[in-house]
């Protein structure tokens, strides 16, 4: 049975249930409208977790406390990566039930020396992050999110362009009247990476004749945020689309927002995790950074953070030894919570319809990812897929299977293979997305809801 022949998930719900779906979607829209960086996601995740009784594992360790069945803890890694746990009744060496998503999204990052003046305009120099179509980022209202770390240890939060009274910034494009040569270029050359310069000002500072517009911007930043030009050296400021996520479609059945990849899976994983109690095996939701650039670095999935935190958890519950840790990781089961490509009638030629994901058909399972011959993929076991089918059907979760486009059309990767290196069972599962990696992506509300239900069912039953 292919996905298109399955019943659309909307039709199985009555009006009251549809209201619940819309209510859940409103909470998700609020999350991605507020959380446009990894740091913002971690901060909000901690707030939500603590509101339902989670405690910081660092405090548990510091106070030499022990953990028992039912306890809820989280571990924060450098404010960009977080792991949450609910302690189960079984020994941890029996394995974990893990939901793992990433909270970084394609964007533009400010360079370390970003501010300059050209033609009596002040601009910020950027370096794009992740796989983007560069031409999609021009002529859009953009916002600045991030932090500035000063030499004295002060950390300054930056958010400009989201409040309705804030100004926005943006990147210019060549007017069509002069774009004859530009229009003849290949799409990846229409806008070059070094041309993604953000316009931020045009008023000169009257008492400063040299680079007076730049000087005026520095004056504004000093007055509002109390940082100097040299503080850009130790700043992490991201340029993202300005504005809130919004209902999409005349029937309001979809959501347009920045960062669905992969915050839609991060939020549904978090929501499922915060909803569970009294589990048999210890459950974990892991939200990581750097997936869009290879999962490297101290906050990416290749980091030893997760392994180290599980070791600390074992120590607090039953006393650590290395064999317990190895058994725990090997015996674990994971849903690599990441998005999949939704079928788009405007571009059917790159999709194989029997094995494509469709809006309205629920959570998507990608047995394998990779590209062209499954290169670089994680390929889940048939037995694991069968187990998940049984769980989804038991809990009336609408689900579908898919691959990321036709065999030779493209492909992609997730964090799945990294966790699979521990010899645990892993499969990719998440929400189907249109416009993936664009500034404004699209998802179906019922798919978001079904994905949360699927994650919750996995944590209860796997």
């Amino acid at each position: 049975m292919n996905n298109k022949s399955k019943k659309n998930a909307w039709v199985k719900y009555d009006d009251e249930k549809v209201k619940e779906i819309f209510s859940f979607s409103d909470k998700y829209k609020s999350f991605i409208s507020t959380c446009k960086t990894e740091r913002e996601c971690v901060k909000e995740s901690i707030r939500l977790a603590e509101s339902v009784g989670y405690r910081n594992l660092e405090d548990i360790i510091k106070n030499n406390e022990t953990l028992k069945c039912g306890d809820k803890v989280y571990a924060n890694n450098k404010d960009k990566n977080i792991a949450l746990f609910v302690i189960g009744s079984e020994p941890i060496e029996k394995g974990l039930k893990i939901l793992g998503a990433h909270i970084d999204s394609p964007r533009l990052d400010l360079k370390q020396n970003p501010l300059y003046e050209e033609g009596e305009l002040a601009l910020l120099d950027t370096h794009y992050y992740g796989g983007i179509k560069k031409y999609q980022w021009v002529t859009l209202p953009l916002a600045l999110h991030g932090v500035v770390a000063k030499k004295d240890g002060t950390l300054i939060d930056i958010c400009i362009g989201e409040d309705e009274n804030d100004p926005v910034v943006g990147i210019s494009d060549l007017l069509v009247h002069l774009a004859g040569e530009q229009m003849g270029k290949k799409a990846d050359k229409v806008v070059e990476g070094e041309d993604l310069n953000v316009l931020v000002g045009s008023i000169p500072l009257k008492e400063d004749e040299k680079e007076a517009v730049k000087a005026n911007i520095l004056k504004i930043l000093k007055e509002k945020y109390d940082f100097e030009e040299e503080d850009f050296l130790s700043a992490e400021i991201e340029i993202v689309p300005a504005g809130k996520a919004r209902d999409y479609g005349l029937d309001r059945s979809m959501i347009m927002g920045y960062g669905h990849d992969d915050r839609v899976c991060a939020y549904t994983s978090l929501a499922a995790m915060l909803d569970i109690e009294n589990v048999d095996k210890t459950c974990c939701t892991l939200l990581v950074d750097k997936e869009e650039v290879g999962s490297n670095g101290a906050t990416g999935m290749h980091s030893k953070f997760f392994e180290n935190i599980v070791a600390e958890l074992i120590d607090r519950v039953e006393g650590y030894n290395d064999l317990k840790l190895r058994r725990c990781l090997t015996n674990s089961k994971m849903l690599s919570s990441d998005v999949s490509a939704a079928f788009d009638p405007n571009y059917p030629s790159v999709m194989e319809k029997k094995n494509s994901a469709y809006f309205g058909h629920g959570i998507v399972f990608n047995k394998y990812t990779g590209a062209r011959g499954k290169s670089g993929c994680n390929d889940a076991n048939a037995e694991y897929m069968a187990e998940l089918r049984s769980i989804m059907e038991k809990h009336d979760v609408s689900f579908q299977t898919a691959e990321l486009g036709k065999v030779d059309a493209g492909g992609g990767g997730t964090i799945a293979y990294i966790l699979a290196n521990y010899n645990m069972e892993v499969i990719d599962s998440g929400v189907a997305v249109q416009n993936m990696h664009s500034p404004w992506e699209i998802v179906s509300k019922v798919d978001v809801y079904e994905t949360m239900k699927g994650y919750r069912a996995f944590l209860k039953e796997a």
Side-chain angles (χ1 to χ4, degrees):
M1 178 184 291
N2 64 52
N3 295 327
K4 198 71 180 79
S5 64
K6 289 185 176 182
K7 184 185 292 185
N8 191 299
W10 285 111
V11 303
K12 72 180 183 181
Y13 292 124
D14 60 21
D15 290 346
E16 284 303 309
K17 198 65 175 180
V18 169
K19 288 181 182 177
E20 183 180 324
I21 293 169
F22 274 57
S23 176
F24 183 76
S25 296
D26 286 343
K27 294 175 184 176
Y28 168 58
K29 285 190 299 181
S30 177
F31 180 85
I32 60 166
S33 296
T34 303
C35 302
K36 293 188 176 182
T37 70
E38 314 83 83
R39 289 175 183 268
E40 289 167 347
C41 287
V42 168
K43 184 177 181 180
E44 179 63 5
S45 296
I46 290 173
R47 186 189 72 80
L48 292 171
E50 288 183 340
S51 73
V52 294
Y54 279 75
R55 297 179 61 200
N56 192 335
L57 182 58
E58 187 176 318
D59 293 335
I60 303 291
I61 296 168
K62 182 179 179 180
N63 296 329
N64 198 30
E65 299 178 48
T66 57
L67 294 171
K68 63 184 184 305
C69 178
D71 285 344
K72 303 173 183 179
V73 294
Y74 69 85
N76 173 9
N77 182 24
K78 299 174 173 55
D79 294 333
K80 298 182 187 177
N81 179 193
I82 186 171
L84 302 99
F85 299 90
V86 175
I87 307 301
S89 57
E90 296 184 8
I92 294 180
E93 68 181 272
K94 296 290 187 181
L96 309 172
K97 292 184 280 192
I98 306 168
L99 300 173
H102 66 91
I103 48 177
D104 60 317
S105 295
R107 60 180 189 258
L108 307 177
D109 287 341
L110 292 194
K111 294 184 179 182
Q112 286 189 283
N113 293 295
L115 185 60
Y116 69 99
E117 180 173 333
E118 184 73 32
E120 298 187 38
L121 299 174
L123 300 106
L124 294 170
D125 209 354
T126 70
H127 193 133
Y128 64 93
Y129 174 98
I132 66 170
K133 293 179 177 178
K134 295 184 284 290
Y135 64 79
Q136 293 180 332
W137 286 78
V138 300
T139 71
L140 292 176
L142 301 174
L144 294 86
H145 289 239
V147 296
V148 177
K150 300 181 71 172
K151 289 186 292 184
D152 64 2
T154 304
L155 201 64
I156 304 167
D157 289 319
I158 302 292
C159 184
I160 305 172
E162 299 296 351
D163 187 276
E164 63 179 14
N165 295 314
D166 279 353
V168 294
V169 296
I171 301 167
S172 62
D173 192 13
L174 187 60
L175 62 160
V176 69
H177 311 73
L178 300 177
E181 182 180 345
Q182 182 193 48
M183 298 288 278
K185 294 181 178 180
K186 291 178 63 178
D188 63 345
K189 299 294 183 182
V190 168
V191 176
E192 301 275 9
E194 287 291 356
D195 295 332
L196 294 171
N197 305 310
V198 181
L199 179 59
V200 295
S202 64
I203 298 177
L205 192 64
K206 293 180 181 179
E207 59 267 26
D208 196 321
E209 295 183 5
K210 185 179 180 181
E211 295 191 318
V213 179
K214 173 184 173 181
N216 193 44
I217 295 299
L218 288 171
K219 179 174 180 287
I220 292 168
L221 293 174
K222 176 65 176 176
E223 290 174 349
K224 186 168 184 178
Y225 292 103
D226 190 31
F227 76 87
E228 314 281 352
E229 182 175 11
E230 68 173 17
D231 292 323
F232 278 117
L233 295 175
S234 52
E236 293 175 359
I237 300 177
E238 302 174 13
I239 305 295
V240 299
K244 297 179 179 179
R246 299 183 62 178
D247 286 347
Y248 193 78
L250 300 184
D251 56 2
R252 297 181 179 270
S253 62
M254 297 166 282
I255 302 170
M256 179 187 74
Y258 165 67
H260 286 319
D261 180 11
D262 186 36
R263 293 179 189 127
V264 68
C265 294
Y267 181 78
T268 46
S269 296
L270 181 65
M273 184 74 178
L274 299 186
D275 192 43
I276 61 165
E277 306 271 354
N278 304 318
V279 294
D280 49 3
K281 292 184 178 180
T282 295
C283 293
C284 171
T285 288
L286 181 62
L287 306 180
V288 299
D289 184 20
K290 298 292 189 289
E291 190 275 344
E292 297 293 358
V293 291
S295 295
N296 297 309
T299 54
M301 195 61 246
H302 281 297
S303 164
K304 295 296 184 183
F305 164 71
F306 177 64
E307 184 178 330
N308 293 344
I309 285 300
V310 174
E312 294 281 6
L313 200 72
I314 292 171
D315 186 56
R316 292 297 93 201
V317 175
E318 54 198 47
Y320 175 79
N321 70 51
D322 191 64
L323 188 57
K324 286 182 180 180
L325 174 62
R326 301 301 153 197
R327 287 173 175 169
C328 169
L329 295 173
T330 297
N331 291 328
S332 293
K333 296 176 181 178
M334 181 196 184
L335 296 184
S336 172
S337 309
D338 209 336
V339 297
S340 189
F343 179 80
D344 188 337
N346 284 330
Y347 305 98
S349 64
V350 296
M351 309 296 282
E352 195 270 283
K353 293 183 180 180
K354 298 189 306 301
N355 290 286
S356 295
Y358 292 86
F359 275 177
H361 288 253
I363 185 173
V364 185
F365 288 97
N366 289 85
K367 184 178 183 295
Y368 50 83
T369 51
R372 296 177 180 82
K374 299 185 180 180
S375 176
C377 79
N378 171 69
D379 199 339
N381 291 331
E383 295 88 343
Y384 188 39
M385 185 68 224
E387 179 186 356
L388 294 170
R389 286 173 59 198
S390 177
I391 291 172
M392 297 303 119
E393 289 172 3
K394 178 180 177 180
H395 288 265
D396 190 30
V397 177
S398 295
F399 72 93
Q400 53 187 322
T401 59
E403 59 184 11
L404 198 61
K406 285 184 176 179
V407 172
D408 286 328
T414 67
I415 65 171
Y417 75 97
I418 306 170
L419 275 297
N421 287 337
Y422 288 114
N423 199 32
M424 67 177 69
E425 297 279 17
V426 183
I427 193 170
D428 284 294
S429 65
V431 178
V433 178
Q434 281 190 1
N435 303 355
M436 195 187 299
H437 280 219
S438 73
W440 296 105
E441 299 170 321
I442 312 298
V443 296
S444 163
K445 290 182 177 179
V446 76
D447 292 342
V448 176
Y449 185 77
E450 294 295 321
T451 299
M452 181 276 294
K453 279 180 58 182
Y455 292 161
R456 187 172 58 193
F458 169 81
L459 293 176
K460 290 180 177 180
E461 299 282 349

